[in-house]
């Protein structure tokens, strides 16, 4: 199988920098410290770390470094000897798939526990792959780990490297073990096998980075548990990149997936399902929800996935309100559309649009895209809607068109008079910024303008300038047109 550097040629790292050409995967049983090691090597707390086994369920990628070494690092789910279609078996299969894509594998075991039958079974699997494997004995903070180090030689993977991922001990030994393989691969000598570098003829190399290319569109997928967020991403990218299944709350971490749609780079982020805060009691779920909210804040466009077979819940309205308050563009993906009878589809969409507009006025003009992530029905409609709202979110409108629109809007519906019958005059409007579109209006009585009239102006801006799917900020300023004197001079 082609290495990850070749298979992911169109991908780019999270920060948009040129991607590393060598990929390293971290494997091991649950709770042996894989995610702790991942965070240490990437230099950030990207992966969730918790005492509970099996926190990581999907693989996560990021650029990492160790002294002078630079590489792409993959954190994987825990290995388990389950053989049925259970969650543990599916997680193990995903981890082995990551090892098949990687150039080098770091097999981590808990030196305090020692070598287990699961370690032995997966060591045999990794040896059969014919790729370099570096054995890491983690949690070697004291002499209690000495017996585990001795047992590790039975795995047939050479000398174990004693480390402490939590405290950073043993990183020099890991560097010494990793450097020869990375140097050989970076020099183009081919994939490395058990006896050293081997030729990798026929595999494609990574595409050279295009420094002039625009940064990726940051797209977060959010929603309640079990509405099909991961399945939707898998359908978009055309591969089983994320773990899916009937279990609710399967995704625990916010997993970024680098992707290219047509000629545009996209950074997709799958998030954990978010329930009402009153129902979130466990620390792990609080951590997952916190990650999801952070992904939402860092996104440019957010796709809220809802279940077409169930009415929208208060939690989904709350999520939508948070996204708009953060100033992010929004598309609502109405998933499981294949389960809605055809004669009820139009009524279902109309009812959904009405319920949204009644609760949140900023949803007016927001795209509602019915899709089926499971069957692929209408999935081609989702990304054009995302790009459309992203363009609206970035749009800048000239001052001339804005003031002509304002004059027409005021003539059609003048502002209500304030106490004492005094008139409110709207003198001038200009756009202060985009992302989201923000407008300033100068008025003689800015503090007196009623909220209902503000909504009238916002809805007018959205409709006239085609700003559906993006929140609009309208800020009032008191005084005359600030540009009058400048224009007269």
């Amino acid at each position: 199988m082609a290495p990850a550097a070749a298979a992911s040629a169109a991908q780019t790292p999270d920060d948009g920098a040129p991607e590393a050409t060598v990929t390293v995967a971290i494997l091991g049983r649950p709770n042996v410290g894989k995610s702790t090691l991942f965070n240490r090597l990437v230099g950030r707390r990207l992966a969730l770390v918790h005492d509970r086994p099996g926190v990581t369920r999907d693989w996560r990628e990021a650029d990492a470094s160790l002294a002078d070494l630079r590489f792409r690092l993959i954190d994987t789910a825990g290995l388990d000897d389950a053989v049925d279609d259970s969650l543990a078996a599916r997680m193990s299969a995903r981890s082995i798939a990551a090892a098949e894509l990687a150039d080098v594998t770091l097999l981590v075991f808990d030196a305090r526990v020692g070598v287990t039958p699961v370690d032995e079974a997966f060591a045999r699997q990794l040896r059969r792959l014919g790729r370099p494997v570096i054995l890491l004995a983690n949690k070697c903070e004291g002499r209690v780990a000495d017996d585990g180090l001795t047992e590790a030689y039975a795995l047939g993977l050479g000398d174990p490297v004693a480390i402490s991922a939590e405290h950073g001990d043993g990183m020099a030994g890991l560097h010494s073990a990793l450097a020869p393989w990375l140097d050989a691969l970076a020099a183009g000598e081919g994939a490395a096998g058990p006896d050293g570098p081997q030729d990798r003829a026929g595999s494609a190399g990574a595409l050279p980075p295009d420094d002039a290319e625009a940064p990726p569109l940051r797209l977060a997928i959010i929603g309640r548990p079990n509405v099909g967020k991961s399945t939707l991403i898998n359908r978009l990218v055309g591969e089983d990149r994320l773990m899916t299944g009937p279990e609710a709350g399967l995704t625990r971490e916010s997993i970024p997936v680098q992707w290219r749609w047509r000629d545009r780079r996209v950074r997709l982020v799958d998030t954990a399902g978010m329930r009402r805060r009153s129902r979130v009691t466990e620390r792990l779920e609080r951590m997952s929800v916190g990650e999801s909210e952070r992904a939402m804040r860092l996104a440019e466009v957010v796709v809220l996935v809802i279940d077409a077979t169930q009415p929208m819940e208060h939690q989904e309205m709350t999520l939508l309100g948070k996204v708009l308050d953060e100033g992010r563009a929004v598309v609502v993906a109405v998933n499981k559309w294949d389960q809605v009878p055809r004669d009820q589809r139009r009524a279902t969409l109309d009812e959904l649009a009405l319920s949204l507009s009644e609760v949140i006025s900023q949803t007016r003009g927001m795209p509602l895209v019915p899709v089926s992530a499971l069957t692929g029905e209408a999935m081609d409609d989702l990304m054009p809607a995302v790009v459309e709202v992203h363009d609206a979110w970035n749009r800048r409108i000239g001052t001339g068109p804005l003031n002509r629109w304002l004059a027409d809007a005021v003539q059609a519906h003048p502002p209500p008079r304030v106490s004492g019958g005094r008139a409110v005059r709207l003198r001038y409007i200009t756009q202060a910024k985009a992302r989201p579109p923000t407008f300033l209006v100068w008025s003689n009585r800015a503090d007196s303008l009623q909220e209902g009239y503000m909504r009238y102006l916002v809805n007018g801006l959205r409709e006239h300038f085609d700003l559906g799917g993006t929140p609009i900020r309208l800020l009032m300023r008191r005084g005359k047109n600030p540009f009058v004197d400048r224009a007269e001079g």
Side-chain angles (χ1 to χ4, degrees):
M1 184 175 294
S8 303
Q11 297 182 4
T12 55
D14 297 345
D15 57 6
E19 118 177 341
T21 57
V22 179
T23 304
V24 178
I26 304 175
L27 270 71
R29 292 183 295 105
N31 222 30
V32 295
K34 300 184 298 299
S35 294
T36 303
L37 177 62
F38 178 86
N39 287 341
R40 179 165 294 281
L41 293 176
V42 301
R44 290 178 291 168
R45 292 183 61 87
L46 293 182
L48 284 184
V49 177
H50 195 274
D51 293 338
R52 179 185 299 180
V55 170
T56 302
R57 290 174 171 176
D58 281 297
W59 80 53
R60 176 193 290 272
E61 299 182 51
D63 280 347
S65 62
L66 183 59
D68 59 326
L69 303 179
R70 302 291 182 272
F71 47 94
R72 190 72 172 165
L73 191 62
I74 303 177
D75 184 25
T76 66
L79 298 170
D80 196 286
D81 59 356
V83 295
D84 53 9
D85 193 35
S86 65
L87 175 59
R90 302 199 313 270
M91 289 164 58
S92 295
R94 298 285 297 154
S95 298
I96 294 298
E100 291 174 343
L101 290 174
D103 298 298
V104 181
T105 298
L106 306 179
L107 180 60
V108 183
F109 75 99
D110 187 337
R112 295 179 301 184
V113 175
V115 173
T116 70
V118 175
D119 294 319
E120 295 173 350
F122 284 100
R124 288 193 295 271
Q125 278 192 263
L126 293 177
R127 287 201 303 270
R128 287 196 293 267
L129 292 180
R131 300 289 176 83
V133 180
I134 297 173
L135 184 61
L136 300 183
N138 193 26
K139 306 183 183 180
C140 288
E141 294 88 353
R143 298 188 61 82
V144 69
D146 290 349
D147 290 342
L149 277 171
T150 303
E151 294 175 6
Y153 287 93
L155 296 178
L157 296 174
D159 295 340
V161 179
I163 68 168
S164 170
E166 183 175 359
H167 298 98
D169 299 337
M171 293 298 109
L174 175 56
H175 180 279
S176 298
L178 195 55
W181 297 112
L182 267 59
D183 290 345
L185 288 161
E189 297 181 21
D195 300 319
Q198 299 175 349
D199 181 36
R200 192 160 50 189
S203 63
L207 294 177
D210 184 356
D211 294 335
E213 191 173 19
L217 188 159
R218 299 193 301 274
L219 176 61
I221 313 296
I222 69 170
R224 290 187 293 113
N226 219 31
V227 294
K229 299 182 295 296
S230 300
T231 304
L232 185 140
I233 291 180
N234 286 345
R235 176 66 65 175
L236 282 175
V237 303
E239 61 178 277
D240 290 335
R241 173 62 180 82
L242 299 171
M243 180 76 67
T244 61
E247 300 90 350
L250 194 57
T251 301
R252 284 176 171 166
E253 299 180 274
S254 296
I255 303 296
V257 177
Q258 307 294 340
W259 176 53
R260 189 181 292 274
W261 179 73
R262 297 179 182 173
D263 60 345
R264 193 163 192 163
R265 291 192 298 152
V266 181
R267 183 181 185 269
L268 288 162
V269 181
D270 186 25
T271 63
M274 290 186 276
R275 302 188 298 163
R276 292 185 184 180
R277 283 197 171 273
S278 60
R279 298 179 183 176
V280 178
T281 56
E282 294 187 358
R283 177 173 175 267
L284 178 57
E285 187 174 0
R286 288 199 303 271
M287 293 167 63
S288 298
V289 171
E291 268 210 353
S292 299
E293 292 178 344
R294 180 176 180 273
M296 177 184 71
R297 289 193 298 270
L298 294 176
E300 296 171 327
V301 181
V302 173
V303 172
L304 173 64
V305 183
I306 64 174
D307 189 333
T309 64
Q310 300 179 8
M312 281 195 73
E313 294 187 355
H314 174 76
Q315 170 65 2
E316 289 166 320
M317 294 292 189
T318 302
L319 283 176
L320 189 53
K322 284 184 178 180
V323 173
L324 294 171
D325 288 343
E326 289 290 341
R328 302 299 175 250
V330 186
V331 173
V332 177
V334 189
N335 194 25
K336 306 183 183 180
W337 197 241
D338 56 304
Q339 300 180 30
V340 179
R342 292 191 175 274
D343 60 347
Q344 299 179 18
R345 292 186 171 184
R346 172 46 57 189
T348 299
L349 275 184
D350 290 343
E351 182 179 348
L352 178 59
L354 179 62
S355 62
L356 284 172
S357 62
E358 287 178 344
V359 177
I360 305 175
S361 62
Q362 288 270 22
T363 60
R364 188 169 179 175
M366 182 180 297
L368 301 178
V369 185
V371 297
S372 172
L374 186 62
T375 67
E377 181 181 351
M379 283 294 297
D380 290 342
D381 299 334
L382 183 57
M383 280 308 298
V386 167
V387 170
E388 182 177 347
V389 301
H390 184 258
D391 291 344
W393 189 67
N394 282 278
R395 186 167 301 148
R396 284 194 170 273
I397 304 168
T399 300
L402 280 172
N403 281 279
R404 287 191 292 272
W405 164 82
L406 180 62
D408 292 341
V410 171
Q411 184 177 7
H413 188 170
R417 291 179 176 268
V418 297
S419 58
R422 292 172 295 179
V424 177
R425 293 184 177 86
L426 306 183
R427 305 181 187 278
Y428 185 79
I429 182 173
T430 188
Q431 183 172 0
K433 70 181 189 70
R435 306 166 66 92
T438 302
F439 302 93
L440 303 179
V441 177
W442 276 265
S443 170
N444 64 329
R445 294 182 174 85
D447 297 337
S448 302
L449 202 62
Q450 296 179 3
E451 184 178 344
Y453 196 82
M454 294 280 285
R455 284 198 301 269
Y456 162 72
L457 293 177
V458 168
N459 290 332
L461 281 166
R462 176 172 287 109
E463 184 175 348
H464 188 82
F465 294 105
D466 194 19
L467 295 175
T470 179
I472 294 175
R473 305 286 190 256
L474 187 62
L475 307 176
M476 304 302 297
R477 294 290 184 265
R478 186 169 183 173
K480 63 180 181 179
N481 179 348
F483 298 97
V484 166
D485 294 337
R486 185 184 305 176
E488 291 175 350

